[in-house]
Amino acid sequence: MVTKYSPIMTVRKYERFRGNNRFFCCGYLISARQIGIMVFVAILLVIVFALFLAFDSRFLIANVYPIGVGAIFPIIAAFGLFYSMAFLLKTGCTDPGIIPRAKTDELDYQLRQADDVIKQGTARYMTITVKGEQQKLKWCATCEIWRPPRASHCGLCNNCYDRFDHHCPVVGNCVAKRNYRYFYLFLVSVFCMCIYGMGCNVAVIVLASKMTNFGDALKTYPASVIEFAICGLGAVAVSGLACMHTWLIATMQTTNEDIKGTFNPRRQGRDVSNPYTQRNCCKNFLLVICGPFQPSLIDRRGVVDLDEEDAAERSDYGSTAGTVVHSTAVPGIPIESSSKPNDQSQELLNPVQSSSPASKPSTDNESPSAVIGSTEVEVHASDDETETHKLITNDVN
């Protein structure tokens, strides 16, 4: 009897990813679905550089004295194009900071411990205190997780992002914690190159006008006029964004927080301050631009276990392969996961301890309570129903 063996099918987790993202190079690169504008911007940068090499650089090399000094102009332009393209691709093809969805066992455990308000999908939030300021942890019904501070859900990409800034169609990706520095450096590099290109175009027209006249110079070098117009429009468009994000970094805010007025006393109607700022704009810049690069929380290259039918239905392919999936900036509030929770890991997944008095079923006259360090956490169910849960959390290395 001949035994037939079916070929082994290797399915990577990025192939079953639930978010609205595109993956390239076997899952190493990730972007949003809409990448047309990013491709257009990249092509436009290359076209402008090609025009500069074909016309302006040749004129400057031949007419700038002493002879040979003009060769530095195309070299500077080449470096500018390289950095602009590198920051554009790095921003558009990097995981912005996707927060993994709850895995199947984690979600089931949370729903078993949750009350009817969460099961019915009613909006809930927890209020925590960070450096004396109240911050809300909202429940995301799509990702089925408690969002960490400063996180938000992007409706276009259908993911929650850590320190979410905004969704940028120009770079074809969301801008969040892991690619924000590259986005800012892209804006600065493009702005500098636009100013540099405009300066070279003006130099070409001025030198050509001395040889003939201004009108003939424009007719002889139309490429310089086209480059000047493109660079001028680019400088106007990018300068505003660069200045705005410079101010946001100096004040340690995100675009999302600035629009919502999270740290604006007038918008909030009370005295609030930003607990995440370093109280120094230079330190804020160093932390955002030169701070440590956080690893990705999603295991895109992991192999899917096709034998797990429940996993295929619920799809935990966005979760990480390790134990710790996220650690917020708030000390003492780690969010942890494990593939198969036992009695000890279940206590870590759900901070409400079943063995403590805090987890006893609440009655009409009393509600469960515990403590996160010295931080009190309130879980708000609705306008007329408020339960106070004080959670006991252990740090796990």
Side-chain angles (χ1 to χ4, degrees):
M1 183 179 66
V2 179
T3 304
K4 296 183 179 181
Y5 295 94
S6 60
I8 299 177
M9 299 291 292
T10 301
V11 180
R12 300 291 181 179
K13 291 184 178 181
Y14 75 88
E15 300 180 70
R16 304 289 184 88
F17 191 70
R18 296 174 63 184
N20 298 331
N21 299 93
R22 291 176 181 266
F23 291 89
F24 307 94
C25 300
C26 300
Y28 287 104
L29 305 181
I30 180 175
S31 69
R33 293 286 184 182
Q34 303 80 15
I35 61 174
I37 300 180
M38 182 187 71
V39 175
F40 172 76
V41 171
I43 294 175
L44 187 62
L45 290 175
V46 174
I47 290 176
V48 173
F49 178 72
L51 291 175
F52 180 83
L53 286 183
F55 299 98
D56 293 347
S57 62
R58 295 173 60 185
F59 179 87
L60 293 173
I61 292 174
N63 295 277
V64 173
Y65 296 95
I67 300 299
V69 175
I72 195 174
F73 291 102
I75 295 177
I76 296 176
F79 273 103
L81 176 67
F82 172 77
Y83 282 108
S84 298
M85 292 291 292
F87 291 136
L88 173 63
L89 296 177
K90 190 69 174 176
T91 306
C93 300
T94 299
D95 171 21
I98 299 175
I99 302 175
R101 287 169 166 79
K103 298 177 71 173
T104 303
D105 46 8
E106 297 170 355
L107 178 61
D108 291 342
Y109 184 79
Q110 293 183 49
L111 293 180
R112 286 198 304 269
Q113 298 294 329
D115 53 28
D116 294 334
V117 179
I118 286 184
K119 293 179 180 179
Q120 295 173 1
T122 306
R124 292 171 62 97
Y125 65 87
M126 292 192 301
T127 303
I128 67 173
T129 301
V130 182
K131 294 183 179 180
E133 294 294 332
Q134 291 186 352
Q135 298 291 302
K136 292 181 180 180
L137 303 184
K138 295 183 179 180
W139 171 263
C140 180
T142 302
C143 300
E144 297 168 325
I145 59 172
W146 290 101
R147 298 176 191 162
R150 313 188 78 181
S152 184
H153 188 90
C154 176
L156 294 176
C157 296
N158 197 27
N159 293 310
C160 280
Y161 292 94
D162 191 8
R163 207 173 73 192
F164 176 78
D165 192 87
H166 69 287
H167 181 91
C168 183
V170 175
V171 298
N173 205 349
C174 281
V175 179
K177 185 175 184 178
R178 298 188 72 247
N179 64 346
Y180 181 80
R181 68 183 69 185
Y182 304 118
F183 173 76
Y184 178 75
L185 293 175
F186 166 72
L187 295 178
V188 174
S189 61
V190 170
F191 176 74
C192 293
M193 288 308 302
C194 288
I195 299 300
Y196 175 78
M198 293 172 65
C200 292
N201 300 145
V202 171
V204 170
I205 298 299
V206 170
L207 292 176
S209 299
K210 292 181 179 180
M211 299 176 185
T212 56
N213 56 66
F214 183 73
D216 292 338
L218 295 180
K219 294 178 182 179
T220 306
Y221 299 97
S224 298
V225 179
I226 297 175
E227 294 173 43
F228 184 86
I230 296 176
C231 292
L233 292 176
V236 171
V238 173
S239 60
L241 286 174
C243 292
M244 184 191 74
H245 284 281
T246 300
W247 176 77
L248 290 176
I249 295 176
T251 57
M252 206 62 175
Q253 297 185 78
T254 64
T255 302
N256 186 48
E257 293 169 345
D258 182 55
I259 293 176
K260 293 181 178 179
T262 304
F263 307 119
N264 190 333
R266 293 183 180 179
R267 299 278 296 275
Q268 296 296 325
R270 58 184 178 88
D271 293 335
V272 293
S273 61
N274 189 348
Y276 307 104
T277 181
Q278 304 297 312
R279 310 301 177 185
N280 186 299
C281 61
C282 294
K283 292 182 179 180
N284 290 339
F285 265 94
L286 290 175
L287 181 61
V288 174
I289 304 301
C290 304
F293 186 72
Q294 301 296 327
S296 177
L297 301 180
I298 57 174
D299 183 22
R300 292 167 285 177
R301 294 277 302 162
V303 179
V304 176
D305 188 357
L306 298 178
D307 294 334
E308 297 181 2
E309 296 294 338
D310 184 60
E313 295 177 1
R314 296 290 293 277
S315 178
D316 59 357
Y317 308 121
S319 299
T320 56
T323 301
V324 179
V325 299
H326 183 73
S327 179
T328 68
V330 183
I333 313 180
I335 301 177
E336 317 234 349
S337 71
S338 60
S339 58
K340 294 182 179 180
N342 51 26
D343 295 339
Q344 190 174 14
S345 62
Q346 286 181 351
E347 296 177 356
L348 296 174
L349 291 174
N350 191 331
V352 180
Q353 303 292 330
S354 59
S355 59
S356 63
S359 62
K360 294 180 180 179
S362 59
T363 61
D364 296 337
N365 299 326
E366 61 179 348
S367 60
S369 62
V371 174
I372 295 182
S374 60
T375 303
E376 181 174 326
V377 179
E378 294 183 358
V379 181
H380 301 269
S382 61
D383 295 334
D384 58 349
E385 179 185 2
T386 302
E387 298 178 353
T388 302
H389 295 268
K390 295 181 180 179
L391 313 178
I392 301 175
T393 306
N394 297 323
D395 292 333
V396 176
N397 296 324

